[in-house]
Amino acid sequence: MNTEIDRKIAVIFVADVVGYSKHMEKDENATIRSYNACEKILNKLLKKYKGSVFNTAGDSVLAEFPSAVNAVECGVDFQNEIKKRNQSDKVDVKLEFRLGINMGDVVKKDNNLIGDGVNIAARLEALAQPDGISISKSVYDFVVPKTKMTFNDLGIQKVKQNEFHAFDILLDPSQRRTLKTKSKPIIPIIGAVAAALVIGLLGFLFLNGDNSHERKDVSQNKKSLIADMPSILVMPFENQTGKDENSFIGSGFTSSLVNILSQSNKLQIHSTSTGEYIKENGLSNIEISEKYGVEYILNGSIQGGSNSFRVFIELTNIRNDELRWSEIFNFSKIEDIFSIMDNLGVSVLRELNLEFSIDSDHLISRNPDVYRKYIAAQAAYQKNTAEGNYKSEQLYKEALELEPENSRLKYFLGWVHWQRMTLGLSTDPKADFEIAYKYSYEAMEKNPKWASPQAQVSVLEGILGKHDIACARLPKMRALARTVEDISLVAAVEAVCGNNDKSTSLFEKSLRLGPHYSSWVKKYYAVVKTRSGDYEGAKTFIKKQLERKHSWEDTERTFYVMLAYISVKEGDLKKAQEYFSLQKKQGGIGQTARQFLSDHQAAKDQSFYIDVVETLKPLGLPEK
């Protein structure tokens, strides 16, 4: 068997579309047509300059050239052709490209080229500006005496263990920029594919719920969260494989990065919903930094398909527009993701010298088929509809058929039964409640380092009147809560246990880190503020949310009920009647579920709940 490694020096050219996924989301057919037209331009120039494509991944092209001059001239001609094309009014989708060119050592494997020579070319592409070209010094040294191009020296760029001297080719004077040199990788971040913690509404006080991802703009607090620690936002990974069936890979990477980074208490981790909002609304780095207090953004994409996948990750300090770290990982099988991410996630945190303790069972599953169903179930559940509820139940059950003892899957299935009650779909609320409690308790027992099931069990026990047992877990929950979802749930337990100040503080932290996370957090924050007697704070917060035209009927209803209650307490009965008349029709929890929950003495005995009912009864608020 021949095991000799086929090495050579090669000039590597990498081209990639800027914001391809956004274009595809807006108009898939027009984007594909535009890309095909750009591809024809590139293929024509590759033929002219004797370049040959050795790999493609989604919207990326990797080519080899016989000389550095050929590669650079091809790149300049290509960017000029694309610019000319985009100036035409006949072009529907105007695509921009980044180009990176490097000359270095590569290994030929089958019909592909791999190695540092290729990786550095890809990093140069990521470093390039839209419509720009970045090259390594090895390329610069060959082309500078043989061309009349203008170059901008970017200095030594350090990416993890590799240092390379980079230059921009200035196609336009406006492309001149300054990057910090020889940067230390303060926060090189790669995660492990793990569970995204999608949480439903808690059953206390009004017993109405949703766990939707709020898309409205809630600037709860623009103050920076990073006074004494780095603040990181993980953006949704882009699926650039061209196949929807691979979307679960990007979803898994995104949620798992948040999960694994949250193991350290030395990092501020923003909610994934913030990244989703930013992606949908196209906010600039300046807006992100000022609005959310973010210092670092982690972007990633999944490319390739079939038997060849590539994950590209880069970390940028958006305060000074500095690329701090990037890396490329290749794998041939979906199953390889889990072991790759486990090892890399742990090694990165160790390299940062941060304290962490990662549960060896932090993943939902290491079976790709199970994980696919889990991601799809979460997406269905988040629709907060009858159809979504039943679809998520079906998918969770299919996943459990493959792994019957998976307690984490059971935990999320328990939330499906709780959501069924809150949507008024339950034909047997008592049975749904018991299933939710049983699955949560099992997940708590088998996953002692996971805060969410402990919080869920505690809230359900609070409804059943087991406050002593539920509240005794609070110290442990406080220590374990890291993610926005965990923090929000623990805030709810604090409220169940009557700790209004702690509940308020945690809800505020949740709103800072995840202002677009979920409307139930905003609803119960308003309730807790009102219950604690901070009427001015509650009114200010509620009115800001109502100005943004909340899209969730039950949340608006709760807001108006709180405003009516406050107005009565302040002696303004006319204003109270106005607010009360604005509340939406009775929604959320079904009457049978409401009856089941309100029959429990613990729910009836909550003094604030009783006070609201008695205060607003003259206005027509039903007792149940």
Side-chain angles (χ1 to χ4, degrees):
M1 181 178 178
N2 185 8
T3 59
E4 184 178 349
I5 297 176
D6 187 0
R7 292 184 180 275
K8 65 177 181 177
I9 299 296
V11 178
I12 305 299
F13 171 108
V14 177
D16 190 55
V17 180
V18 179
Y20 186 73
S21 295
K22 286 185 179 180
H23 288 300
M24 289 288 283
E25 288 171 4
K26 290 180 181 178
D27 192 332
E28 184 175 285
N29 291 334
T31 300
I32 292 173
R33 287 196 299 269
S34 184
Y35 181 78
N36 289 341
C38 294
E39 190 176 37
K40 286 182 180 179
I41 294 173
L42 180 59
N43 287 336
K44 179 187 72 174
L45 292 172
L46 287 173
K47 184 176 181 180
K48 175 181 177 180
Y49 290 103
K50 300 179 182 179
S52 58
V53 175
F54 63 86
N55 200 347
T56 58
D59 56 316
S60 298
V61 174
L62 290 83
E64 179 187 8
F65 280 81
S67 80
V69 174
N70 279 25
V72 166
E73 290 182 343
C74 178
V76 171
D77 281 358
F78 176 69
Q79 291 289 34
N80 288 334
E81 288 284 335
I82 295 300
K83 184 177 181 180
K84 186 187 302 182
R85 180 178 184 276
N86 287 340
Q87 290 172 345
S88 171
D89 294 335
K90 297 180 181 180
V91 176
D92 294 332
V93 178
K94 299 179 179 182
L95 298 180
E96 296 177 308
F97 288 77
R98 292 189 180 95
L99 304 184
I101 304 173
N102 177 51
M103 185 173 68
D105 187 70
V106 299
V107 175
K108 185 175 181 180
K109 185 176 181 182
D110 298 326
N111 294 319
N112 195 16
L113 298 178
I114 59 175
D116 279 349
V118 177
N119 289 343
I120 290 175
R123 290 170 188 149
L124 285 162
E125 177 271 310
L127 190 69
Q129 302 171 85
D131 295 325
I133 306 172
S134 291
I135 64 174
S136 64
K137 190 173 187 302
S138 59
V139 172
Y140 172 84
D141 288 340
F142 271 96
V143 302
V144 71
K146 301 175 183 177
T147 67
K148 295 182 180 180
M149 299 172 190
T150 304
F151 300 89
N152 180 35
D153 190 347
L154 299 177
I156 302 294
Q157 300 297 314
K158 183 170 183 179
V159 181
K160 205 172 175 63
Q161 75 275 17
N162 295 317
E163 288 186 4
F164 53 89
H165 197 151
F167 294 80
D168 279 342
I169 298 176
L170 296 183
L171 305 175
D172 186 287
S174 66
Q175 291 183 326
R176 186 174 295 278
R177 58 178 173 161
T178 301
L179 296 181
K180 286 190 176 182
T181 61
K182 206 171 183 179
S183 303
K184 291 185 178 181
I186 292 181
I187 307 176
I189 304 173
I190 311 166
V193 175
L197 304 177
V198 179
I199 307 302
L201 175 65
L202 312 175
F204 71 103
L205 298 177
F206 288 99
L207 307 173
N208 290 316
D210 67 71
N211 78 325
S212 60
H213 282 273
E214 184 59 49
R215 292 292 181 263
K216 302 300 179 183
D217 178 14
V218 184
S219 261
Q220 170 64 15
N221 192 334
K222 297 183 181 180
K223 184 179 179 182
S224 171
L225 300 174
I226 58 169
D228 58 352
M229 64 180 69
S231 173
I232 303 172
L233 170 64
V234 181
M235 291 294 291
F237 272 53
E238 295 186 10
N239 173 23
Q240 298 179 355
T241 66
K243 295 183 178 180
D244 290 340
E245 65 193 55
N246 293 324
S247 295
F248 85 98
I249 304 176
S251 299
F253 268 81
T254 306
S255 59
S256 67
L257 278 164
V258 172
N259 187 284
I260 200 85
L261 294 173
S262 298
Q263 304 301 317
S264 171
N265 59 8
K266 300 298 183 182
L267 298 173
Q268 289 275 18
I269 312 298
H270 291 261
S271 170
T272 54
S273 57
T274 300
E276 291 165 0
Y277 177 87
I278 289 169
K279 181 180 178 181
E280 289 178 6
N281 291 274
L283 301 187
S284 68
N285 284 349
I286 293 176
E287 291 174 311
I288 295 168
S289 177
E290 292 180 351
K291 187 170 184 175
Y292 301 101
V294 172
E295 185 178 10
Y296 294 96
I297 282 186
L298 187 68
N299 286 291
S301 62
I302 314 296
Q303 303 172 346
S306 300
N307 297 321
S308 178
F309 288 91
R310 170 171 290 179
V311 179
F312 178 76
I313 305 174
E314 66 177 17
L315 181 73
T316 304
N317 183 328
I318 62 173
R319 294 190 170 183
N320 56 19
D321 197 28
E322 177 186 2
L323 179 67
R324 300 307 302 260
W325 169 84
S326 66
E327 189 59 273
I328 296 172
F329 304 98
N330 297 298
F331 57 97
S332 58
K333 297 185 297 183
I334 295 295
E335 291 83 351
D336 295 339
I337 295 176
F338 304 110
S339 59
I340 290 172
M341 289 303 174
D342 274 349
N343 295 332
L344 290 174
V346 171
S347 65
V348 166
L349 286 172
R350 283 178 177 161
E351 183 176 333
L352 293 171
N353 295 317
L354 296 176
E355 295 179 3
F356 66 96
S357 178
I358 297 178
D359 186 352
S360 60
D361 296 324
H362 64 275
L363 295 177
I364 282 290
S365 173
R366 294 177 184 274
N367 182 327
D369 292 331
V370 172
Y371 202 79
R372 267 194 199 92
K373 294 181 184 297
Y374 159 72
I375 292 294
Q378 297 236 63
Y381 178 88
Q382 291 167 22
K383 293 178 180 178
N384 206 50
T385 62
E387 180 183 0
N389 181 271
Y390 289 116
K391 180 65 175 177
S392 62
E393 180 186 31
Q394 175 189 341
L395 289 164
Y396 279 127
K397 286 184 174 179
E398 289 176 2
L400 279 167
E401 286 179 5
L402 299 173
E403 291 185 352
E405 300 304 316
N406 190 319
S407 62
R408 289 180 173 249
L409 288 173
K410 292 178 183 178
Y411 166 74
F412 289 109
L413 182 57
W415 272 121
V416 171
H417 286 271
W418 177 250
Q419 184 189 62
R420 186 162 299 169
M421 296 176 67
T422 65
L423 293 178
L425 304 173
S426 179
T427 57
D428 190 346
K430 184 175 185 295
D432 283 320
F433 187 95
E434 289 175 350
I435 292 172
Y437 181 76
K438 174 187 174 184
Y439 283 158
S440 299
Y441 201 91
E442 181 178 338
M444 179 183 72
E445 292 272 284
K446 294 187 176 180
N447 304 276
K449 295 182 180 180
W450 190 13
S452 290
Q454 295 186 47
Q456 186 187 29
V457 167
S458 298
V459 169
L460 298 180
E461 287 177 340
I463 293 172
L464 296 174
K466 301 178 181 179
H467 289 79
D468 291 344
I469 299 174
C471 300
R473 297 192 190 95
L474 271 171
K476 185 176 182 180
M477 280 187 277
R478 292 170 188 152
L480 291 174
R482 292 280 185 271
T483 65
V484 169
E485 294 88 342
D486 285 347
I487 292 167
S488 302
L489 280 169
V490 175
V493 179
E494 297 280 11
V496 168
C497 297
N499 304 327
N500 289 332
D501 289 345
K502 289 183 179 179
S503 178
T504 298
S505 177
L506 285 175
F507 273 133
E508 288 175 351
K509 182 176 182 180
S510 170
L511 287 166
R512 289 196 301 269
L513 290 172
H516 311 289
Y517 161 53
S518 181
S519 61
W520 79 260
V521 175
K522 302 172 183 68
K523 175 166 61 176
Y524 281 102
Y525 174 67
V527 169
V528 172
K529 291 282 281 185
T530 304
R531 188 171 76 173
S532 65
D534 183 5
Y535 294 159
E536 286 304 314
K539 286 192 297 184
T540 299
F541 176 78
I542 291 170
K543 288 177 181 179
K544 283 184 178 179
Q545 307 315 306
L546 291 173
E547 286 173 4
R548 293 175 172 88
K549 298 181 180 180
H550 241 275
S551 61
W552 289 94
E553 183 177 279
D554 179 61
T555 300
E556 285 193 14
R557 177 180 179 275
T558 300
F559 285 161
Y560 284 127
V561 167
M562 289 295 95
L563 289 174
Y565 171 80
I566 292 170
S567 297
V568 172
K569 291 296 185 181
E570 293 179 338
D572 192 342
L573 297 181
K574 181 179 179 181
K575 181 64 71 174
Q577 187 63 59
E578 290 176 5
Y579 284 133
F580 195 78
S581 66
L582 288 171
Q583 71 170 315
K584 305 291 183 178
K585 65 181 180 179
Q586 185 75 18
I589 199 164
Q591 188 58 36
T592 54
R594 181 182 299 280
Q595 184 64 51
F596 165 73
L597 291 170
S598 62
D599 279 346
H600 288 281
Q601 195 64 31
K604 284 185 177 180
D605 283 348
Q606 292 184 54
S607 59
F608 178 65
Y609 177 81
I610 295 173
D611 189 37
V612 171
V613 171
E614 294 299 321
T615 299
L616 298 183
K617 192 183 295 183
L619 301 180
L621 183 67
E623 188 170 352
K624 291 185 179 179

